[in-house]
Amino acid sequence: MLPTSSSTTGRSGSHARPNSFLPLYFRRIVKWQQMDIEYTFWQMLHLCTSPKVVYQHTKYHKQTKNQWARDDPAFVVIGSLLLAVSTIAYCAAYDHSAGHAVFVIISVLLFHFLITGAVLATFCWFFTNNYLREEVPNSHVVEQRVEWLYAFDVHCNSFFPMFVLLYVVHYFLLPLLVAHGFIPELLSNLLFMVAVSYYHYLNFLGYDVLPFLERTTLFLYPIGIVIVLSPIRKYLNTLLLCVLFFCLAFEHFDFLAVILCGFNPSRYIMNVYFSRLL
C-alpha cells in the first residue's frame, strides 16, 4: 500500500497497488521462508531498549520501498506466537482445565492483540488523517496520508514492550504481586502504569516520525491521564507517610497495611481469567 495518494483522481497507478498489497501481505503469513526473522527480532529488541532507532529504519524503508508500512508480516506472526507461548505458561501454572485454557489462549490472541489492535489502529488512522495532517496549499503537491497498515504496525510496535512487562516479567513476579499487602499492590500498579505509559510513548514515536503530521504530541496526553488516575500516586504519598511515622507505627504495621490496601490489577486479572482467588 502506498503511503501517498495523488489529489488527482485520474492517476490509476496510485490506486492499483493498494488493492494488491494486502492480499500479498496475507499470503506471506503462511510462507515462513519469505519472512525476515532476524530483522524482526532486532526490531523487538530495540523497541525495548532504543525505539527511536526502529523508527529511523522506518524512514529508510519509506525511501527504498515507497511505503511506511511493513510489507513483511513476520512481526505480527512472531508476536502472536510469543503471546500464545506466554499465555500457555499462565494456563499451565494457574488454569483448571484444558478446555478453558484453549479459550483463554484464543481470547488473549484475538482480544488483547488483534481485535484491540485493529480498533486502536483504525481510530489512530482516522484521527491522524482527519485532524493531524498538515494542510497542503498547492493542489499539485502529492497528498500524503497515513496507511491503515502502518497504524497497525505502530500498535504492534507499541504492544511488544508492554507484552514483555505485563506477560513475561509479570509472570515471574506473579507470586509476589498477588500477595496481600501494601508492597505487592504498589509494585503491581507501578508495573501496569509503566507498561501502559510506554505503550503510548511508542505510539507517539510512530506518528511523530511521519513528516506530514503535526501536533503529534497529542499521543503523549494519555500518559498524563494514566499517571493522574493511577492509584500509584496515592500509594507514593502513603509510602512517604509510612516512612515518616515508621517508628511510631511499627507495632501496628500489619494493621496499617490492611487499611491501605487498594486495587491490585494483578489479582484482578488472574481472578477474571482463571476464576480463582489468589
Side-chain angles (χ1 to χ4, degrees):
M1 181 181 292
L2 288 174
T4 61
S5 60
S6 174
S7 59
T8 304
T9 58
R11 298 182 182 180
S12 60
S14 63
H15 299 283
R17 189 176 176 183
N19 295 329
S20 60
F21 175 68
L22 280 178
L24 176 62
Y25 182 88
F26 288 122
R27 285 199 301 268
R28 294 186 64 181
I29 291 180
V30 296
K31 297 181 179 180
W32 187 267
Q33 65 276 11
Q34 295 185 4
M35 300 181 191
D36 194 343
I37 306 301
E38 182 178 354
Y39 179 63
T40 298
F41 280 114
W42 178 89
Q43 285 182 309
M44 290 178 170
L45 174 63
H46 282 79
L47 284 170
C48 298
T49 57
S50 52
K52 291 184 178 180
V53 175
V54 176
Y55 285 110
Q56 187 64 39
H57 278 253
T58 301
K59 293 182 179 180
Y60 301 151
H61 186 271
K62 169 64 174 67
Q63 295 170 359
T64 56
K65 297 193 176 183
N66 197 29
Q67 66 184 42
W68 292 100
R70 285 188 287 252
D71 57 352
D72 185 358
F75 198 102
V76 177
V77 174
I78 295 177
S80 299
L81 290 175
L82 293 176
L83 184 59
V85 170
S86 67
T87 309
I88 291 172
Y90 276 93
C91 292
Y94 299 101
D95 212 338
H96 51 78
S97 69
H100 185 263
V102 173
F103 169 79
V104 171
I105 295 169
I106 294 176
S107 63
V108 167
L109 283 175
L110 289 180
F111 293 102
H112 285 207
F113 183 41
L114 297 177
I115 294 179
T116 302
V119 172
L120 292 175
T122 301
F123 170 79
C124 293
W125 167 78
F126 176 83
F127 181 73
T128 52
N129 282 326
N130 288 276
Y131 299 104
L132 299 186
R133 282 191 304 134
E134 294 180 344
E135 295 294 334
V136 180
N138 190 346
S139 60
H140 297 287
V141 177
V142 175
E143 183 184 30
Q144 301 188 85
R145 300 182 64 85
V146 178
E147 312 156 11
W148 185 90
L149 192 58
Y150 178 77
F152 187 72
D153 284 344
V154 172
H155 161 74
C156 293
N157 291 344
S158 304
F159 180 84
F160 182 76
M162 187 169 66
F163 157 77
V164 173
L165 289 174
L166 297 187
Y167 291 83
V168 180
V169 175
H170 183 266
Y171 177 81
F172 291 104
L173 295 179
L174 197 56
L176 170 63
L177 298 178
V178 298
H180 292 276
F182 170 74
I183 298 301
E185 291 167 5
L186 175 66
L187 295 178
S188 180
N189 279 278
L190 181 62
L191 183 63
F192 275 77
M193 187 181 72
V194 170
V196 175
S197 299
Y198 197 65
Y199 175 92
H200 289 292
Y201 171 67
L202 291 188
N203 224 31
F204 158 74
L205 291 182
Y207 294 103
D208 188 60
V209 76
L210 302 180
F212 54 89
L213 295 183
E214 56 184 4
R215 304 190 309 276
T216 53
T217 51
L218 290 173
F219 287 101
L220 293 175
Y221 288 4
I223 298 178
I225 297 175
V226 169
I227 295 175
V228 170
L229 297 181
S230 175
I232 201 71
R233 295 175 67 252
K234 178 190 70 175
Y235 291 146
L236 291 177
N237 293 333
T238 305
L239 182 62
L240 178 60
L241 292 176
C242 287
V243 172
L244 293 177
F245 297 103
F246 178 79
C247 293
L248 296 176
F250 180 78
E251 294 182 0
H252 305 285
F253 187 75
D254 292 337
F255 176 71
L256 288 177
V258 173
I259 294 178
L260 298 175
C261 286
F263 177 68
N264 187 325
S266 298
R267 291 176 57 84
Y268 174 79
I269 290 177
M270 294 301 293
N271 289 333
V272 166
Y273 276 96
F274 300 109
S275 301
R276 61 168 63 177
L277 296 175
L278 297 175

